[in-house]
Amino acid sequence: MFPKMLFVVTILLSFFCVKNTSQKVPVTVYYESLCPDSRKFITTQLYPVLQTNVSKWVNLTLVPYGKSNYTQEADNEWKFFCHHGPFECHGNKIQACALHEIENSVPTPNNYAFNPVTLAFINCLMNKTSKNIDGYDFPIGECAKTANVPNYVSIENCANHTVGSTYLAALGEQTHQFQKTLISVPTIVFNNRYDKQESTDASNFFNQILCKYITQPLEECQNHGLTLKASLLLLTLTFVHFVF
Ligand SMILES: *[C@@H]1O[C@H](CO)[C@@H](O)[C@H](O)[C@H]1NC(C)=O
Ligand SMILES: *[C@@H]1O[C@H](CO)[C@@H](O)[C@H](O)[C@H]1NC(C)=O
Ligand SMILES: *[C@@H]1O[C@H](CO)[C@@H](O)[C@H](O)[C@H]1NC(C)=O
Ligand SMILES: *[C@@H]1O[C@H](CO)[C@@H](O)[C@H](O)[C@H]1NC(C)=O
Ligand SMILES: *[C@@H]1O[C@H](CO)[C@@H](O)[C@H](O)[C@H]1NC(C)=O
């Protein structure tokens, strides 16, 4: 009897341990700062969904570059051409800089695989950037306040200088390595595997697509995980019944 009991306990333990070894789902978003579809996706899908418990199960990579291209000039400066014009290049640089600078003052919390403050800042920019008579206003100061970013002048400085171009060029490389020219913007990739239909679906139903990859039982995933867990538990109980 005792060895059998031990066996069952082992099974039950391994069942509960599955939970703790669950991996965070890699999610990569390729987008651009002035693209209406990118703004809609980030402000109505990505950001709201990542305010819920699913956020701890996501390894988010933001790539604000889109359908741009660039050349490197002789004087070590870069020349960018962006899908929605030169102001978009500046907007992309601000976000490229935010991805580096915010981490220095507000590091990513231990249980996260992305910086929630950086995401809040970028969400605010995507929401609040507005047209003016000369071009566009990027409300860096206002969004720093909204997202509790302490060092926003360093973001502005970075975006105004070569360092911002260097960061943006690196995002360009990352984008070109993924696709020579992006097929659509935004592009959303789960588990580092691109699926065109899934990317399109995720731009409107981000939570549903994400939940396909989350094995954790979460209310936000409408028990997708629970169903699996429940059937595993049932299987175990049946087994216990059978053994004894
Ligand atoms: C870069 O983009 C600009 C504007 O979209 C386009 O005219 C140019 O041909 C592109 N250059 C390369 C090398 O793709
Ligand atoms: C997130 O993904 C990156 C690769 O894109 C990896 O280096 C990193 O370890 C991952 N982080 C976690 C916590 O899973
Ligand atoms: C910004 O966010 C507010 C509140 O969520 C929303 O009502 C508004 O439509 C958004 N604006 C843009 C341009 O996304
Ligand atoms: C960056 O450039 C913008 C626009 O040219 C300017 O308004 C701003 O003051 C500059 N910021 C810094 C920190 O240099
Ligand atoms: C979300 O997480 C909090 C704390 O981690 C927990 O108390 C709450 O029950 C969770 N909600 C759902 C819907 O899973």
Side-chain angles (χ1 to χ4, degrees):
M1 202 62 166
F2 186 69
K4 273 184 192 166
M5 188 79 122
L6 203 64
F7 186 56
V8 169
V9 166
T10 308
I11 287 189
L12 280 174
L13 272 181
S14 60
F15 164 69
F16 284 112
C17 285
V18 167
K19 195 176 173 169
N20 300 326
T21 56
S22 289
Q23 294 292 310
K24 293 181 197 283
V25 181
V27 176
T28 310
V29 182
Y30 300 89
Y31 68 103
E32 48 202 28
S33 62
L34 295 182
C35 160
D37 289 339
S38 299
R39 297 180 71 166
K40 181 161 167 262
F41 170 68
I42 290 182
T43 59
T44 69
Q45 298 287 323
L46 185 70
Y47 179 73
V49 167
L50 293 184
Q51 299 315 107
T52 71
N53 282 355
V54 299
S55 61
K56 310 231 169 40
W57 300 101
V58 171
N59 187 349
L60 178 69
T61 305
L62 293 173
V63 191
Y65 180 83
K67 292 189 178 188
S68 314
N69 65 44
Y70 67 86
T71 55
Q72 190 165 13
E73 307 290 290
D75 55 359
N76 213 27
E77 205 11 292
W78 315 75
K79 210 167 169 179
F80 293 91
F81 304 90
C82 297
H83 196 182
H84 299 91
F87 279 91
E88 180 163 77
C89 297
H90 189 62
N92 289 346
K93 276 185 204 175
I94 291 168
Q95 296 193 20
C97 289
L99 289 165
H100 284 87
E101 297 294 328
I102 294 174
E103 189 64 27
N104 293 332
S105 55
V106 194
T108 298
N110 276 335
N111 49 347
Y112 276 79
F114 66 91
N115 192 319
V117 172
T118 306
L119 178 63
F121 180 72
I122 286 175
N123 173 63
C124 174
L125 286 176
M126 296 304 268
N127 181 262
K128 295 274 170 65
T129 294
S130 59
K131 246 183 143 102
N132 62 28
I133 34 169
D134 308 317
Y136 283 87
D137 259 337
F138 297 100
I140 300 180
E142 182 191 340
C143 286
K145 210 178 260 171
T146 302
N148 291 312
V149 173
N151 59 331
Y152 80 86
V153 175
S154 75
I155 296 174
E156 224 175 55
N157 252 321
C158 164
N160 284 1
H161 296 93
T162 309
V163 59
S165 301
T166 310
Y167 290 156
L168 186 56
L171 295 176
E173 277 314 296
Q174 197 176 339
T175 305
H176 295 317
Q177 262 170 34
F178 166 66
Q179 273 176 5
K180 195 111 203 336
T181 305
L182 278 188
I183 297 170
S184 57
V185 184
T187 290
I188 305 136
V189 179
F190 297 87
N191 264 348
N192 303 310
R193 266 195 58 250
Y194 173 61
D195 178 320
K196 190 167 186 288
Q197 186 61 48
E198 193 174 64
S199 172
T200 306
D201 293 346
S203 67
N204 292 307
F205 307 100
F206 181 65
N207 200 58
Q208 280 92 320
I209 306 299
L210 176 64
C211 282
K212 292 203 312 191
Y213 293 96
I214 295 181
T215 51
Q216 270 317 88
L218 289 177
E219 249 171 55
E220 285 86 349
C221 287
Q222 298 177 314
N223 301 335
H224 168 83
L226 276 179
T227 314
L228 184 69
K229 278 262 144 109
S231 44
L232 274 174
L233 189 61
L234 193 68
L235 204 70
T236 310
L237 288 178
T238 311
F239 185 72
V240 169
H241 183 75
F242 173 75
V243 167
F244 296 99

